[in-house]
């Protein structure tokens, strides 16, 4: 019976990732493979609108910085960033997927905890991204039109060439046999912050010798005291000789 239930579970799991859902992503493959996976209605319906996010008036920001698909962005490890997908309102999106993985240095780098939900419009894609693809991912929770959605990004380990895939769905209407979605990929370099420089104790420099007195020792108070005692002794002896 155990084998039977395991087979049923795998079959159901396979069905769950081959169909798109209005309350979550159906796949977490890299690049456009997340939305064009064979069997998806996005792949079978007519593509009435595809291209980079900018074609739909959609941008991606990391804190206050807008990401550029053509320019790598440097982030600090152990620092939490606000990852926001923003529409200018021209084309509100109903679904989305933010996926991070595929480091150029280490393609098997663990990014499963790198992304987290920030608002009620987002959720961790636990089944498709974390469990199946072993990468970090955040997806939508409903199919309502959205103009902004926020997630959290935090990398624990340094890595170059991380790939942040952002996919948004504008519409996917089977009755009309149309699909409209947009995709952009961004490169991130996670860098460990510089360590604190060691503190060096500095001592004040010695007083320089006077010109022409190089190598001469500086007189001390004890030297002056001995000189005064000898002077007083000599004066006393001289006075005794005179009195005699």
């Amino acid at each position: 019976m155990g084998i039977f239930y395991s087979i049923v579970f795998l079959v159901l799991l396979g069905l769950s990732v081959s169909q798109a859902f209005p309350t979550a992503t159906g796949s977490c493959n890299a690049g456009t493979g997340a939305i064009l996976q064979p069997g998806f209605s996005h792949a079978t319906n007519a593509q009435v609108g595809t291209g980079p996010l900018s074609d739909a008036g959609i941008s991606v920001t990391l804190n206050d910085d807008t990401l550029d698909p053509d320019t790598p962005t440097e982030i600090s490890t152990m620092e939490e960033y606000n990852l926001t997908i923003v529409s200018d309102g021209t084309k509100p999106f109903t679904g989305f997927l933010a996926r991070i993985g595929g480091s150029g240095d280490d393609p098997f780098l663990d990014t499963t905890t790198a992304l987290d939900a920030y608002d009620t419009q987002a959720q961790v894609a636990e089944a498709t991204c974390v469990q199946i693809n072993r990468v970090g991912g955040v997806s939508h929770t409903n199919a309502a039109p959205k103009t902004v959605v926020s997630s959290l990004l935090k990398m624990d380990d340094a890595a170059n060439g991380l790939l942040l895939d952002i996919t948004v769905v504008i519409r996917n209407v089977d009755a009309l046999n149309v699909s409209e979605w947009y995709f952009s990929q961004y490169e991130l370099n996670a860098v460990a912050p510089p360590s604190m420089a060691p503190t060096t104790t500095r001592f004040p420099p010695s007083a320089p010798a006077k010109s022409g007195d190089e190598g001469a020792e500086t007189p001390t108070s004890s030297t002056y005291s001995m000189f005064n005692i000898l002077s007083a002794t000599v004066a006393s002896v001289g006075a005794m000789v005179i009195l005699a």
Side-chain angles (χ1 to χ4, degrees):
M1 292 296 291
I3 297 176
F4 172 78
Y5 284 119
S6 297
I7 294 174
V8 171
F9 171 77
L10 291 174
V11 170
L12 292 175
L13 183 61
L15 290 174
S16 69
V17 297
S18 64
Q19 300 295 328
F21 293 99
T23 57
T25 182
S27 174
C28 195
N29 294 335
T32 58
I35 199 165
L36 292 179
Q37 181 170 311
F40 267 43
S41 55
H42 286 290
T44 57
N45 286 341
Q47 310 292 303
V48 297
T50 60
L53 297 179
S54 56
D55 285 358
I58 294 174
S59 59
V60 180
T61 62
L62 208 56
N63 288 352
D64 296 325
D65 298 323
T66 301
L67 299 184
D68 182 352
D70 299 321
T71 304
T73 298
E74 184 174 295
I75 61 174
S76 297
T77 58
M78 305 307 294
E79 182 174 340
E80 195 169 68
Y81 293 85
N82 193 300
L83 176 66
T84 306
I85 303 173
V86 184
S87 168
D88 62 6
T90 304
K91 290 180 178 292
F93 54 96
T94 58
F96 78 94
L97 170 65
R99 177 195 193 276
I100 187 168
S103 166
D105 287 348
D106 183 1
F108 302 105
L109 179 69
D110 185 3
T111 60
T112 53
T113 61
L115 288 172
D116 198 0
Y118 182 74
D119 58 35
T120 57
Q121 302 271 28
Q123 63 181 329
V124 174
E126 184 70 28
T128 52
C129 290
V130 177
Q131 298 298 329
I132 296 177
N133 283 272
R134 304 301 298 167
V135 296
V138 175
S139 181
H140 53 282
T141 60
N142 59 72
K146 309 167 184 61
T147 56
V148 60
V149 64
S150 294
S151 305
L152 297 175
L153 170 65
K154 180 183 176 183
M155 280 298 302
D156 294 334
D157 301 312
N160 289 325
L162 291 165
L163 298 180
L164 176 66
D165 295 343
I166 304 293
T167 307
V168 299
V169 173
I170 306 301
R171 55 178 173 157
N172 186 37
V173 185
D174 291 338
L176 300 177
N177 194 35
V178 295
S179 172
E180 184 176 7
W181 54 273
Y182 298 87
F183 168 86
S184 287
Q185 186 177 78
Y186 306 91
E187 182 178 338
L188 303 179
N189 295 321
V191 180
S195 59
M196 296 293 291
T199 302
T200 303
T201 303
R202 297 183 179 276
F203 296 96
S206 302
K210 294 182 179 179
S211 177
D213 293 337
E214 288 80 358
E217 293 184 0
T218 303
T220 62
S221 58
S222 61
T223 304
Y224 287 117
S225 298
M226 184 61 69
F227 177 78
N228 291 335
I229 294 173
L230 292 174
S231 297
T233 302
V234 171
S236 300
V237 172
M240 292 174 64
V241 171
I242 293 173
L243 291 176

